[in-house]
Amino acid sequence: MKIDLQNKPRLDQYRKLKWLIFFRGLFAAVLFGSAVLIGVHGNLTFFSKPLIFINSIAVGLLILSSLYSVILPRLYHLVRFGYVQIFIDTLIITGIIFVTGSFSSIFSFLYLVVIIYASMVLSRTGGMFIAFCACVQYGVLIALEFQGVIYPVGIEAGFIFKNYNWNYVLYKLLITIAACFGVAFLSGFLSEQERRAKKGMWAMEEQVKRVEKLAAIGEMASGLAHEIKNPLASLSGSIQFLREDIPYDPDRDRLMDIILREADRLSALVNDFLMFAKPQPGQTRIVDLNVALNEIIKVFMADNRRSRRIEVTYELAPAIFIKIDPEHLRQVLWNLLLNADEAIETEGHIHIKMSAPDKNHASIRITDNGCGMTEETIKTIFDPFFTAKPKGTGLGLSIVQRIITSYNGFIDVESAPGKGTTFNIQLPREMPS
Ligand code: ADP
Ligand code: MG
């Protein structure tokens, strides 16, 4: 099983397990080294009574560590592997405690070490689980010792009975259990926070990558769009020229009409796309919203076909200023008005209302009583290229949103199928200079 470098959580788990195996190996080597040192000092051999146990544990751990490092890259279920390893660690520690005096061993703190790294490598629940395993093992060990079933190594049988009373044993057991779970809780809490922070960082990295990719695609596509624009302009120009030059023939004229219309449509699409993929930075000015809206509405209503079937009403408010590139404002309102228009099939009504909800915001609401949208549609209307219209480009609202957010404003929408739609935009308000 190859490690997928794109899968960050998995890679992270893999790295943690690798470090765990490394440190376990190191621990085993140090254990072995110190046993050898003690042996040299005390003139003991490898197999002498107190050392044999430590030596076998160290050698066993070394063998296990090499085994783990060989199978780790071939495994799929990393988390399970982690559980197995750490569970085996608790068994080994119980072994160490047993050979160093059981109840009187000073090594019971090793459980805490295992619980801490279990929380780090596995999870909060992993840490709790290992704490539970440690407590059970320790409890069983002590109980067996007190029942006289097993005898602690190096201490003569019956020793415990003479030295400790039940209350003290129970007390120490309870303290150990409390320590195990306390440590599991704390380290679990910390590791959970680390995990969350990491997740946030990964998400941010992904986002950056996506944005970079989009920017690269946008760059390429906008280059292409520029290349399309020029031949398109020559095409329309030539047809118009031809049309004036050749004798009138209704059939031919209709065909030329189609060419011109489609060329216009293509050119509008390319323009929209350029606007979307590579918005021009814009020349911001302080704009009197009242004046700007008035102009745009006038141009919008000037279209004869439209004004006959759609009634446009508006409520404007004086002395509301915003800082914006007037061309951007025009683009935003035009796209929204056009959508409202297209949502009204035969006859209808569009209402434009401008207001200042507070001293820092200016708001424009555009309401139509057209076809409206379902909840499902609303979720996707701001996606580029989403359109419900046979000849739509699906770029209008993407451009609107892009422009509005670039001015730190926001846009929202309320709609009901068959009833109509309201788009509400809010932009930061400026005081005129
Ligand atoms: P286009 O107009 O090219 O389809 P837009 O991004 O402007 O692209 O709009 C996307 C879609 O959102 C439209 O196809 C339409 O389904 C829906 N929509 C936008 N405005 C309205 C509205 N005022 N009423 C109903 N539907 C709308
Ligand atoms: Mg549109």
Side-chain angles (χ1 to χ4, degrees):
M1 175 71 203
K2 242 184 122 53
I3 288 295
D4 175 10
L5 287 174
Q6 295 304 314
N7 186 343
K8 296 235 167 74
R10 187 175 161 80
L11 190 66
D12 190 53
Q13 186 80 41
Y14 182 81
R15 282 208 190 112
K16 281 180 176 164
L17 284 174
K18 218 163 72 177
W19 279 110
L20 177 61
I21 292 169
F22 171 75
F23 279 118
R24 191 185 289 112
L26 199 68
F27 172 74
V30 169
L31 198 65
F32 188 65
S34 35
V36 167
L37 270 183
I38 294 172
V40 170
H41 253 277
N43 271 334
L44 300 166
T45 65
F46 188 92
F47 298 103
S48 312
K49 189 73 194 221
L51 281 188
I52 171 87
F53 300 110
I54 299 289
N55 280 327
S56 355
I57 285 175
V59 170
L61 259 181
L62 278 173
I63 293 172
L64 262 183
S65 297
S66 359
L67 198 70
Y68 290 159
S69 56
V70 171
I71 50 179
L72 176 66
R74 293 174 176 70
L75 274 183
Y76 180 72
H77 293 292
L78 291 181
V79 177
R80 275 186 217 168
F81 183 51
Y83 269 97
V84 171
Q85 273 186 43
I86 298 177
F87 179 72
I88 292 176
D89 288 349
T90 59
L91 292 177
I92 290 171
I93 285 168
T94 306
I96 293 179
I97 292 174
F98 177 63
V99 300
T100 53
S102 262
F103 185 70
S104 46
S105 168
I106 55 162
F107 287 107
S108 51
F109 77 89
L110 282 178
Y111 282 134
L112 302 184
V113 178
V114 179
I115 291 167
I116 289 173
Y117 66 67
S119 302
M120 276 159 51
V121 173
L122 302 172
S123 63
R124 204 191 207 148
T125 25
M128 284 289 172
F129 173 72
I130 293 299
F132 175 74
C133 293
C135 291
V136 169
Q137 286 174 33
Y138 192 65
V140 168
L141 184 74
I142 303 296
L144 289 180
E145 190 182 337
F146 271 83
Q147 297 303 317
V149 181
I150 53 172
Y151 295 101
V153 178
I155 297 172
E156 49 179 288
F159 177 75
I160 290 170
F161 298 99
K162 290 178 207 143
N163 284 280
Y164 302 111
N165 67 27
W166 251 116
N167 279 346
Y168 178 68
V169 173
L170 212 60
Y171 169 74
K172 193 178 165 192
L173 200 62
L174 282 180
I175 291 281
T176 308
I177 290 173
C180 283
F181 280 102
V183 165
F185 179 78
L186 279 181
S187 53
F189 178 73
L190 287 180
S191 76
E192 202 57 36
Q193 271 187 335
E194 184 233 35
R195 216 163 302 227
R196 233 173 262 161
K198 262 192 190 154
K199 247 191 206 157
M201 208 177 64
W202 291 332
M204 215 142 72
E205 275 173 18
E206 287 300 306
Q207 174 74 9
V208 168
K209 258 192 229 151
R210 242 191 330 261
V211 168
E212 275 172 2
K213 214 191 288 173
L214 260 184
I217 293 174
E219 197 67 33
M220 201 180 77
S222 67
L224 196 65
H226 267 301
E227 291 306 311
I228 294 173
K229 260 173 89 166
N230 295 336
L232 212 54
S234 333
L235 192 82
S236 309
S238 314
I239 294 281
Q240 254 152 357
F241 196 69
L242 268 181
R243 191 188 215 173
E244 282 159 21
D245 239 26
I246 52 176
Y248 180 76
D249 167 358
D251 279 344
R252 233 185 265 159
D253 204 59
R254 228 191 52 237
L255 290 178
M256 285 194 216
D257 244 1
I258 292 176
I259 296 178
L260 281 177
R261 204 180 58 223
E262 294 300 303
D264 272 352
R265 214 159 69 82
L266 208 54
S267 148
L269 169 69
V270 169
N271 277 334
D272 270 1
F273 182 75
L274 273 175
M275 184 75 200
F276 168 73
K278 219 180 167 188
Q280 296 305 311
Q283 308 259 325
T284 55
R285 279 205 269 125
I286 305 254
V287 173
D288 185 341
L289 213 47
N290 192 12
V291 176
L293 267 174
N294 231 323
E295 256 169 48
I296 294 164
I297 293 169
K298 224 184 274 163
V299 179
F300 182 72
M301 292 202 299
D303 190 329
N304 207 5
R305 278 167 303 171
R306 187 177 291 137
S307 62
R308 245 185 286 144
R309 63 181 186 95
I310 293 175
E311 184 194 0
V312 179
T313 53
Y314 50 91
E315 276 169 74
L316 303 183
I320 298 178
F321 297 87
I322 57 172
K323 196 172 178 185
I324 197 167
D325 178 346
E327 183 48 37
H328 283 167
L329 179 64
R330 199 194 61 77
Q331 183 104 31
V332 165
L333 294 171
W334 196 259
N335 284 353
L336 293 178
L337 287 173
L338 221 56
N339 279 347
D341 172 344
E342 286 161 353
I344 297 170
E345 215 170 299
T346 48
E347 285 187 352
H349 180 213
I350 299 177
H351 184 69
I352 303 145
K353 182 175 180 198
M354 153 190 169
S355 63
D358 56 60
K359 71 180 204 310
N360 294 324
H361 294 95
S363 124
I364 305 169
R365 293 170 71 86
I366 297 181
T367 307
D368 66 67
N369 63 351
C371 59
M373 290 173 268
T374 59
E375 287 284 327
E376 275 309 297
T377 311
I378 291 178
K379 279 188 202 144
T380 48
I381 54 173
F382 292 106
D383 294 348
F385 303 109
F386 169 80
T387 180
K389 300 164 193 168
K391 289 194 172 178
T393 63
L395 287 173
L397 288 178
S398 318
I399 293 171
V400 168
Q401 193 184 39
R402 200 161 175 160
I403 293 176
I404 297 286
T405 45
S406 79
Y407 288 100
N408 298 322
F410 73 86
I411 177 164
D412 60 26
V413 54
E414 294 155 36
S415 188
K419 292 226 170 78
T421 306
T422 298
F423 277 93
N424 181 23
I425 53 181
Q426 248 185 41
L427 287 161
R429 197 175 158 191
E430 282 285 323
M431 287 302 137
S433 48

